[in-house]
Amino acid sequence: MRVAPATPWTETVLHVLAHVDVGPIAASCFCASWIREAMDRFGPAGGRTLAEDAQLLARAAATHDVLARAHAVIWLFEGEPDASAARARDLADLGDDDVRSPSALALAREVGGPAELLRAAAELELPLVARLPRLEANGEALARALARVTEAAPELARLDVALARPLGLRGRLFERQIVVGAPGHAGADAEHVAWQAAHEATVAEVVMRALAKGHDDVERHAIALLRARARACGLGDDHARWLGRLDLSALGSIPDVAHGPE
């Protein structure tokens, strides 16, 4: 497992998404805690185009499928140099060599307008977010927490973990990288960040092993599997504390699993 700060571009896209209120859909990254923190750091979003862009995005990407695919923009670039080099061209005109992840580019192209809007909003906010102090990715508390949860989420040891302040209590997964919030920001602490990473790793395992299909079924299976493993290694209370901070009402009942696959 490699733990590192998220790239400036990743943090900036998530900063924009934290301002996009689409209600309770699962793909939402809306984070009131980050909005308050960002206001203290950058001033109110209403003083820039961000507020209007966030409202447009909320209307254009108001379903889980559209917003989830628009998240591919997170993995297009590293920072200002490569984002600026591609700025004059639409996503449809970019080549694989112009981006960090060709598969993310393909996914963003499928979405079209919402992905372009998210990309444009991120380009405008990038100079602000890129000036944030560099994150400490190897703090002792987080290292200890990640080591503990890996016993319940073995796939985590094989994935990269990126820390992004605007993500708060949420996590995202693409290919072999997990992005989670950063301890001390937007309501996240080391324990929550570690369990969120463990959940995303378990989602990756469920998908890889074809244990479930469809977003909701994958999420339910991953939660149940991680819960069973956590209980088996004496971390059931810790897992329950993490789970209790999340609104899972949209997933309905999540039955226990007797034994997780090894």
Side-chain angles (χ1 to χ4, degrees):
M1 181 199 320
R2 185 177 71 92
V3 183
T7 68
W9 178 259
T10 290
E11 279 214 308
T12 302
V13 177
L14 289 167
H15 159 71
V16 172
L17 288 170
H19 288 76
V20 178
D21 188 355
V22 289
I25 70 171
S28 174
C29 291
F30 181 75
C31 183
S33 294
W34 175 254
I35 291 174
R36 291 191 294 270
E37 188 170 336
M39 184 181 300
D40 290 342
R41 292 176 180 274
F42 312 131
R48 308 187 300 281
T49 61
L50 176 58
E52 182 179 356
D53 288 342
Q55 292 176 356
L56 291 172
L57 274 165
R59 293 195 291 270
T63 67
H64 170 78
D65 287 344
V66 173
L67 186 56
R69 286 184 292 159
H71 284 172
V73 174
I74 294 168
W75 289 277
L76 287 182
F77 306 115
E78 293 281 341
E80 196 278 333
D82 53 341
S84 293
R87 185 170 294 159
R89 288 171 289 164
D90 292 341
L91 293 173
D93 298 323
L94 296 180
D96 289 353
D97 292 340
D98 297 315
V99 295
R100 173 183 169 196
S101 169
S103 54
L105 176 61
L107 195 58
R109 282 172 173 165
E110 290 180 13
V111 184
E116 289 285 14
L117 178 56
L118 177 56
R119 173 194 177 193
E123 287 173 349
L124 291 173
E125 291 291 299
L126 181 58
L128 293 175
V129 179
R131 291 202 296 267
L132 288 172
R134 182 173 173 82
L135 276 173
E136 171 57 61
N138 296 305
E140 290 185 8
L142 180 57
R144 287 195 302 269
L146 286 168
R148 278 168 55 82
V149 303
T150 301
E151 186 176 358
E155 187 65 19
L156 183 56
R158 294 181 281 275
L159 298 173
D160 292 335
V161 176
L163 307 180
R165 285 161 279 212
L167 201 45
L169 301 181
R170 291 180 167 87
R172 291 295 178 261
L173 169 72
F174 186 74
E175 295 182 329
R176 303 301 294 172
Q177 186 187 65
I178 291 167
V179 185
V180 286
H185 296 274
D189 57 21
E191 182 181 46
H192 184 93
V193 168
W195 278 109
Q196 191 65 44
H199 170 69
E200 302 301 336
T202 308
V203 167
E205 179 183 353
V206 169
V207 172
M208 179 180 63
R209 294 187 173 206
L211 300 176
K213 293 182 179 179
H215 173 269
D216 288 359
D217 284 345
V218 167
E219 288 289 323
R220 279 191 287 264
H221 198 104
I223 289 169
L225 177 55
L226 184 59
R227 180 170 57 198
R229 288 175 169 166
R231 289 170 175 170
C233 61
L235 298 175
D237 289 345
D238 294 353
H239 176 269
R241 188 161 48 248
W242 162 75
L243 201 60
R245 299 189 71 183
L246 306 177
D247 180 3
L248 303 176
S249 56
L251 292 178
S253 176
I254 304 175
D256 286 339
V257 294
H259 300 286
E262 300 298 337

